[in-house]
């Protein structure tokens, strides 16, 4: 067992009491400097220790960690998340998901990571993924739908996420077209849908979901301070990520079933009810160039319909420009 784990074991077995540096170094057969270095590394991973001279170290708090066992025990779904892989660190859960599909992964396969070194967002942006603070997950879906309906799935996932999040922050959370979840103007979550298809046949999609859960202001780089937020920053309490993931999967499975039974119309209505984009004047890139108009509704394919000043209504398929 690694030295860090052995230190943790000794401190845990002290049941909240102090263990001196000398005792630790003797029991583990290493120097006190080695103990101190490992304590420092554990602090960086989110462990909280009280250190008092002449008394030693006391384990105060362990990082809020995800475990496959707790996730499986709390799942309320039949399909989504039933095949689940949890990683400590990956480049991107999206890459792992695509690889698992190549190896035969089925619908509902879920990949979660505590940390991503190359988390990616839409339009080539990076997704800030600090260890143990957020939810970074990718879900494999294999819906039997025509290829051109694929964008509907982004909206479906956004509705499921918004409904889950409103259990924590009420109706302060809304959806900015197509896939950003905002709490009072600040982004708390984003969705990246990547699909593989040939000709007109959709093989599968990987729905990548990133959520700012327990990040504090210091966990964000300066350029995100004004534009990003987390559930913890909004509620003032640490959020149980296992409970959130399981609640989200249950919402999504229910909506996914509704979508297969009744089509996009009910999802469209739910999306519109939670949208913060509709009725707003926005600028976006359309097939004809950059256009500005009032966002009126979404159409059957998931496109945002803008009414321009001359009264024409045009669809927009990619993200809105910041104004
Ligand atoms: C966006 O708003 O631009 C979408 C962000 C999507 C981030 C998630 S985190 C889990 C999954 N893995 C990735 O690399 N990206 C998505």
């Amino acid at each position: 067992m690694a030295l860090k784990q052995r230190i943790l074991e000794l401190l845990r077995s002290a049941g909240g009491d102090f263990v001196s540096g000398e005792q630790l170094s003797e029991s583990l057969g290493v120097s006190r400097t080695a103990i101190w270095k490992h304590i420092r590394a554990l602090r960086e991973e989110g462990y909280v220790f009280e250190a008092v001279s002449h008394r030693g170290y006391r384990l105060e708090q362990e990082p809020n960690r995800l475990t496959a066992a707790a996730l499986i025990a709390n799942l309320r779904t039949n399909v989504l998340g039933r095949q689940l892989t949890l990683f400590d660190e990956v480049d991107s859960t999206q890459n792992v998901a695509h690889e698992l599909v190549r190896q035969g992964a089925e619908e509902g396969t879920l990949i979660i990571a505590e940390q991503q070194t190359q988390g990616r967002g839409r339009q080539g942006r990076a997704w800030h993924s600090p260890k143990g603070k957020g939810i970074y997950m990718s879900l494999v879906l294999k819906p039997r739908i025509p290829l051109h309906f694929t964008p509907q799935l982004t909206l479906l996932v956004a509705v499921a996420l918004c409904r889950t999040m409103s259990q924590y922050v009420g109706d302060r959370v809304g959806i900015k077209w197509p896939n950003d979840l905002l709490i009072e103007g600040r982004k708390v979550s984003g969705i990246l849908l990547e699909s593989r298809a040939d000709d007109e046949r959709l093989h599968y999609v990987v729905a990548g979901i990133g959520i700012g859960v327990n990040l504090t202001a210091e966990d964000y780089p300066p350029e995100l301070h004004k534009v990003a937020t987390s559930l913890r920053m909004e509620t003032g309490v640490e959020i149980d990520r296992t409970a959130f993931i399981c609640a989200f999967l249950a919402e999504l499975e229910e909506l996914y079933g509704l979508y297969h039974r009744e089509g996009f119309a009910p999802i469209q209505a739910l999306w519109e009810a939670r949208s913060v984009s509709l009725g707003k004047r926005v600028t976006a890139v359309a097939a004809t160039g950059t256009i500005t108009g009032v966002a009126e509704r979404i159409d059957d394919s998931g496109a945002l319909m803008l009414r321009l000043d001359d009264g024409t209504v045009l669809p927009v398929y990619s993200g809105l420009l910041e104004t």
Side-chain angles (χ1 to χ4, degrees):
M1 198 193 299
L3 188 53
K4 272 197 293 196
Q5 290 309 319
R6 293 165 67 202
I7 294 174
L8 282 173
E9 279 210 336
L10 285 175
L11 291 173
R12 282 190 196 116
S13 59
D17 282 341
F18 282 92
V19 182
S20 71
E22 197 176 341
Q23 251 174 295
L24 289 170
S25 76
E26 267 174 23
S27 312
L28 300 172
V30 296
S31 70
R32 287 179 64 174
T33 314
I35 299 289
W36 175 79
K37 277 189 184 152
H38 283 81
I39 292 277
R40 189 178 58 183
L42 285 163
R43 280 192 167 124
E44 274 163 21
E45 288 178 24
Y47 290 88
V48 180
F49 302 97
E50 186 182 1
V52 174
S53 52
H54 306 303
R55 296 188 74 188
Y57 302 98
R58 194 168 72 83
L59 178 58
E60 280 193 328
Q61 201 184 317
E62 304 214 23
N64 169 346
R65 272 182 184 270
L66 294 169
T67 64
L71 284 160
I72 290 163
N74 286 284
L75 272 181
R76 307 193 289 277
T77 48
N78 291 320
V79 178
L80 304 188
R82 286 285 158 194
Q83 292 295 324
L84 181 152
T85 320
L86 176 64
F87 292 89
D88 204 38
E89 179 185 308
V90 291
D91 53 358
S92 158
T93 54
Q94 296 292 96
N95 296 348
V96 179
H98 287 295
E99 180 53 35
L100 289 184
V101 174
R102 270 192 290 279
Q103 293 171 18
E106 284 308 328
E107 166 142 289
T109 299
L110 182 67
I111 295 92
I112 310 177
E114 283 286 19
Q115 179 177 21
Q116 297 185 113
T117 52
Q118 288 170 54
R120 57 177 180 265
R122 292 176 67 244
Q123 296 167 333
R125 285 192 283 259
W127 185 260
H128 181 57
S129 314
K131 187 166 190 156
K133 300 286 179 119
I135 293 175
Y136 319 115
M137 62 184 173
S138 296
L139 182 68
V140 175
L141 296 174
K142 299 187 174 179
R144 267 171 257 113
I145 55 170
L147 183 57
H148 62 277
F149 282 170
T150 311
Q152 296 177 344
L153 295 170
T154 310
L155 305 186
L156 192 157
V157 174
V159 172
L161 207 44
C162 194
R163 281 161 67 124
T164 312
M165 221 164 257
S166 60
Q167 295 170 23
Y168 296 80
V169 294
D171 59 10
R172 294 163 63 211
V173 59
I175 311 169
K176 177 179 162 197
W177 187 86
N179 68 348
D180 285 353
L181 264 79
L182 306 185
I183 300 179
E184 280 150 18
R186 289 172 191 242
K187 182 157 167 172
V188 65
S189 174
I191 299 158
L192 173 69
L193 211 84
E194 294 176 336
S195 54
R196 295 289 181 269
D198 57 42
D199 299 329
E200 266 307 285
R201 208 175 84 75
L202 175 65
H203 290 305
Y204 72 92
V205 303
V206 173
I209 297 139
I211 310 168
V213 185
N214 288 321
L215 286 85
T216 56
E218 304 82 68
D219 294 318
Y220 286 103
E223 65 274 18
L224 295 182
H225 277 173
K226 287 213 172 78
V227 292
T229 190
S230 74
L231 287 175
R232 178 173 171 178
M233 287 160 72
E234 296 297 328
T235 59
V237 293
E238 176 112 352
I239 304 293
D240 178 343
R241 290 179 299 155
T242 305
F244 188 102
I245 292 169
C246 294
F248 164 69
L249 291 171
E251 284 284 355
L252 185 60
E253 190 163 280
E254 189 189 323
L255 290 179
Y256 195 52
L258 179 68
Y259 176 67
H260 277 112
R261 289 192 309 276
E262 297 181 24
F264 186 54
I267 307 299
Q268 192 172 358
L270 289 170
W271 188 93
E272 288 183 348
R274 291 184 173 268
S275 157
V276 294
S277 300
L278 297 187
K280 287 225 176 91
R281 197 171 168 78
V282 295
T283 299
V285 181
T288 50
T290 301
I291 57 171
T292 297
V294 175
E296 261 194 3
R297 60 187 175 85
I298 46 169
D299 77 354
D300 288 352
S301 68
L304 185 68
M305 306 303 286
L306 290 199
R307 183 171 294 274
L308 310 194
D309 292 343
D310 66 4
T312 41
V313 178
L314 284 182
V316 174
Y317 296 97
S318 70
L320 304 181
L321 300 175
E322 303 309 330
T323 45

